[in-house]
Amino acid sequence: MSRWLEPPRLRVGEENGTENRRVTWLELFYDLVYVVAVSQVAHNLSKNVSVPGFFGFVALFLPIWWSWIGTTFYANRFDTDTVVRRVLMALQMLASASMAVNVHHGLDSNSTGFALSYAAARVVLILEYAWAGWCIPVARGLTTHYAIGFAIAAFFWITSVFVPMPVRFIFWGIGLLIDFLTPLTGQQHQAQLMPHTEHLPERFGLFTIIVLGEAIIAVITGVVEVDWSGLSVLRAVLGFAIAFCLWWIYFDNVDGTSLRAVKDGSANNVLTFQVWLYGHLPLVIGLAAAGIGVEHLILSQAAVPLPAPDRWLICGSVALCFVALSVLHRTGVIFKCKARTKHRLAAAAILLLIAIAGSAWYPIFVVSAIAGICIIE
């Protein structure tokens, strides 16, 4: 029992950074909440495939993703299997579940609940960082910087509930900006406590699996709801091929070699982690949106050209994935390869050309072209 009551301990640094780290059962259980949250925010986009609908999807996806990121990076440096840690993780799960509940009409009637839910998740994280700083003096610079930055951001989210819409969303934007800038402005503290290079790729890979799962759900949903025919089955198979190829492209390249090569807190190594972190954001947005695009492709009328919003959604989201992958390739965060960078950018350009010039294309032609590009990549 005494082991469960131990204070947070440092899991990184010269003495601890080389220990074998695997994702814990608690982290896997925690991720289940985000399976639901991502599914709910994707459902919002499915109901409103338009430019405003996409930006609304991104606006709600960002806090969900950043909440997961906050918990992941704390666990990467300070995770312990204690009673207090389990209770705090349970509170974070409740806050995240509340975000998922309030996603529907999250930019309208449920915006107050969504804002307070996100703020609650940040408050728990702030308490964890404050406690870690109290128990681990060597980490106090980083934990204080993070706790203060996240507390200021949470203040804007809490204050937003007292402000009428649409001004409320300005407060959200300021809060998110401060949240995102906090790690960027604390590089000198990060250099002293670089994240664990074995644990981090596995965690990011698991979140990528979560958003890819939306594409699999989309294929199944589409097949269940559409009348079976040769074309509908073929579209479903090709939709699955798109998801499978995106999984293949990402996981065939992301072995964590670039992160494991990091040995110190030099400016270049800190930058590598920053690119790893922020470079995954457009990737997971694209993957989640692509799942909805696949669903609409399967459900669309076979004998009618694919509507422009649906065409732009599937082509644009997959193109966004390729652009994000090209950046990760170019910077060496995943497999460093200039040729692959060029291939990903070329694929993105072709997809955008299909979105622009494919107004007369039937759904089967669109999904076949996208699947073909993904297979070639």
Side-chain angles (χ1 to χ4, degrees), residues 36-48:
V36 179
V38 171
S39 177
Q40 293 303 306
V41 73
H43 180 75
N44 269 15
L45 176 60
S46 181
K47 294 297 183 182
N48 184 15

PDB file of all heavy atoms in Angstrom, residues 36-48:
ATOM      1  N   VAL A  36     -14.420   8.028 -27.528  1.00  0.00           N
ATOM      2  CA  VAL A  36     -15.773   8.587 -27.560  1.00  0.00           C
ATOM      3  C   VAL A  36     -15.736  10.065 -27.964  1.00  0.00           C
ATOM      4  O   VAL A  36     -16.546  10.516 -28.786  1.00  0.00           O
ATOM      5  CB  VAL A  36     -16.450   8.427 -26.183  1.00  0.00           C
ATOM      6  CG1 VAL A  36     -17.843   9.032 -26.204  1.00  0.00           C
ATOM      7  CG2 VAL A  36     -16.505   6.970 -25.778  1.00  0.00           C
ATOM      8  N   ALA A  37     -14.810  10.829 -27.397  1.00  0.00           N
ATOM      9  CA  ALA A  37     -14.750  12.265 -27.677  1.00  0.00           C
ATOM     10  C   ALA A  37     -14.489  12.534 -29.157  1.00  0.00           C
ATOM     11  O   ALA A  37     -15.144  13.377 -29.779  1.00  0.00           O
ATOM     12  CB  ALA A  37     -13.670  12.920 -26.818  1.00  0.00           C
ATOM     13  N   VAL A  38     -13.532  11.806 -29.737  1.00  0.00           N
ATOM     14  CA  VAL A  38     -13.229  11.982 -31.161  1.00  0.00           C
ATOM     15  C   VAL A  38     -14.433  11.572 -32.002  1.00  0.00           C
ATOM     16  O   VAL A  38     -14.762  12.221 -33.000  1.00  0.00           O
ATOM     17  CB  VAL A  38     -11.975  11.172 -31.550  1.00  0.00           C
ATOM     18  CG1 VAL A  38     -11.780  11.158 -33.058  1.00  0.00           C
ATOM     19  CG2 VAL A  38     -10.744  11.760 -30.874  1.00  0.00           C
ATOM     20  N   SER A  39     -15.098  10.493 -31.615  1.00  0.00           N
ATOM     21  CA  SER A  39     -16.270  10.041 -32.346  1.00  0.00           C
ATOM     22  C   SER A  39     -17.376  11.097 -32.327  1.00  0.00           C
ATOM     23  O   SER A  39     -18.023  11.350 -33.354  1.00  0.00           O
ATOM     24  CB  SER A  39     -16.790   8.733 -31.744  1.00  0.00           C
ATOM     25  OG  SER A  39     -17.969   8.310 -32.387  1.00  0.00           O
ATOM     26  N   GLN A  40     -17.563  11.737 -31.187  1.00  0.00           N
ATOM     27  CA  GLN A  40     -18.622  12.733 -31.068  1.00  0.00           C
ATOM     28  C   GLN A  40     -18.328  13.996 -31.871  1.00  0.00           C
ATOM     29  O   GLN A  40     -19.209  14.552 -32.533  1.00  0.00           O
ATOM     30  CB  GLN A  40     -18.832  13.097 -29.593  1.00  0.00           C
ATOM     31  CG  GLN A  40     -19.383  11.975 -28.742  1.00  0.00           C
ATOM     32  CD  GLN A  40     -20.701  11.437 -29.270  1.00  0.00           C
ATOM     33  OE1 GLN A  40     -21.652  12.182 -29.479  1.00  0.00           O
ATOM     34  NE2 GLN A  40     -20.756  10.133 -29.495  1.00  0.00           N
ATOM     35  N   VAL A  41     -17.094  14.451 -31.838  1.00  0.00           N
ATOM     36  CA  VAL A  41     -16.763  15.662 -32.590  1.00  0.00           C
ATOM     37  C   VAL A  41     -16.776  15.369 -34.086  1.00  0.00           C
ATOM     38  O   VAL A  41     -17.138  16.227 -34.910  1.00  0.00           O
ATOM     39  CB  VAL A  41     -15.397  16.238 -32.137  1.00  0.00           C
ATOM     40  CG1 VAL A  41     -14.235  15.397 -32.618  1.00  0.00           C
ATOM     41  CG2 VAL A  41     -15.241  17.675 -32.604  1.00  0.00           C
ATOM     42  N   ALA A  42     -16.416  14.138 -34.482  1.00  0.00           N
ATOM     43  CA  ALA A  42     -16.509  13.756 -35.888  1.00  0.00           C
ATOM     44  C   ALA A  42     -17.971  13.690 -36.326  1.00  0.00           C
ATOM     45  O   ALA A  42     -18.302  14.054 -37.467  1.00  0.00           O
ATOM     46  CB  ALA A  42     -15.827  12.404 -36.105  1.00  0.00           C
ATOM     47  N   HIS A  43     -18.838  13.254 -35.439  1.00  0.00           N
ATOM     48  CA  HIS A  43     -20.276  13.215 -35.737  1.00  0.00           C
ATOM     49  C   HIS A  43     -20.799  14.612 -36.032  1.00  0.00           C
ATOM     50  O   HIS A  43     -21.649  14.798 -36.914  1.00  0.00           O
ATOM     51  CB  HIS A  43     -21.033  12.597 -34.560  1.00  0.00           C
ATOM     52  CG  HIS A  43     -22.514  12.517 -34.758  1.00  0.00           C
ATOM     53  ND1 HIS A  43     -23.101  11.586 -35.580  1.00  0.00           N
ATOM     54  CD2 HIS A  43     -23.536  13.278 -34.253  1.00  0.00           C
ATOM     55  CE1 HIS A  43     -24.415  11.752 -35.568  1.00  0.00           C
ATOM     56  NE2 HIS A  43     -24.701  12.770 -34.773  1.00  0.00           N
ATOM     57  N   ASN A  44     -20.294  15.610 -35.314  1.00  0.00           N
ATOM     58  CA  ASN A  44     -20.679  16.999 -35.583  1.00  0.00           C
ATOM     59  C   ASN A  44     -20.353  17.382 -37.022  1.00  0.00           C
ATOM     60  O   ASN A  44     -21.155  18.006 -37.723  1.00  0.00           O
ATOM     61  CB  ASN A  44     -19.948  17.942 -34.632  1.00  0.00           C
ATOM     62  CG  ASN A  44     -20.719  18.203 -33.360  1.00  0.00           C
ATOM     63  OD1 ASN A  44     -21.667  17.492 -33.049  1.00  0.00           O
ATOM     64  ND2 ASN A  44     -20.325  19.219 -32.618  1.00  0.00           N
ATOM     65  N   LEU A  45     -19.147  17.019 -37.461  1.00  0.00           N
ATOM     66  CA  LEU A  45     -18.738  17.340 -38.827  1.00  0.00           C
ATOM     67  C   LEU A  45     -19.599  16.597 -39.834  1.00  0.00           C
ATOM     68  O   LEU A  45     -19.961  17.153 -40.887  1.00  0.00           O
ATOM     69  CB  LEU A  45     -17.266  16.978 -39.029  1.00  0.00           C
ATOM     70  CG  LEU A  45     -16.696  17.172 -40.441  1.00  0.00           C
ATOM     71  CD1 LEU A  45     -16.816  18.630 -40.877  1.00  0.00           C
ATOM     72  CD2 LEU A  45     -15.242  16.714 -40.501  1.00  0.00           C
ATOM     73  N   SER A  46     -19.946  15.361 -39.537  1.00  0.00           N
ATOM     74  CA  SER A  46     -20.768  14.566 -40.450  1.00  0.00           C
ATOM     75  C   SER A  46     -22.120  15.214 -40.690  1.00  0.00           C
ATOM     76  O   SER A  46     -22.684  15.128 -41.789  1.00  0.00           O
ATOM     77  CB  SER A  46     -20.954  13.152 -39.899  1.00  0.00           C
ATOM     78  OG  SER A  46     -21.718  12.358 -40.779  1.00  0.00           O
ATOM     79  N   LYS A  47     -22.647  15.886 -39.665  1.00  0.00           N
ATOM     80  CA  LYS A  47     -23.950  16.532 -39.779  1.00  0.00           C
ATOM     81  C   LYS A  47     -23.876  17.888 -40.476  1.00  0.00           C
ATOM     82  O   LYS A  47     -24.911  18.440 -40.867  1.00  0.00           O
ATOM     83  CB  LYS A  47     -24.564  16.713 -38.385  1.00  0.00           C
ATOM     84  CG  LYS A  47     -24.899  15.405 -37.684  1.00  0.00           C
ATOM     85  CD  LYS A  47     -25.949  14.616 -38.453  1.00  0.00           C
ATOM     86  CE  LYS A  47     -26.342  13.352 -37.710  1.00  0.00           C
ATOM     87  NZ  LYS A  47     -27.336  12.537 -38.470  1.00  0.00           N
ATOM     88  N   ASN A  48     -22.689  18.422 -40.644  1.00  0.00           N
ATOM     89  CA  ASN A  48     -22.540  19.747 -41.256  1.00  0.00           C
ATOM     90  C   ASN A  48     -21.257  19.789 -42.075  1.00  0.00           C
ATOM     91  O   ASN A  48     -20.257  20.370 -41.657  1.00  0.00           O
ATOM     92  CB  ASN A  48     -22.543  20.839 -40.187  1.00  0.00           C
ATOM     93  CG  ASN A  48     -22.481  22.235 -40.778  1.00  0.00           C
ATOM     94  OD1 ASN A  48     -22.710  22.436 -41.983  1.00  0.00           O
ATOM     95  ND2 ASN A  48     -22.165  23.224 -39.958  1.00  0.00           N
TER      96      ASN A  48
END
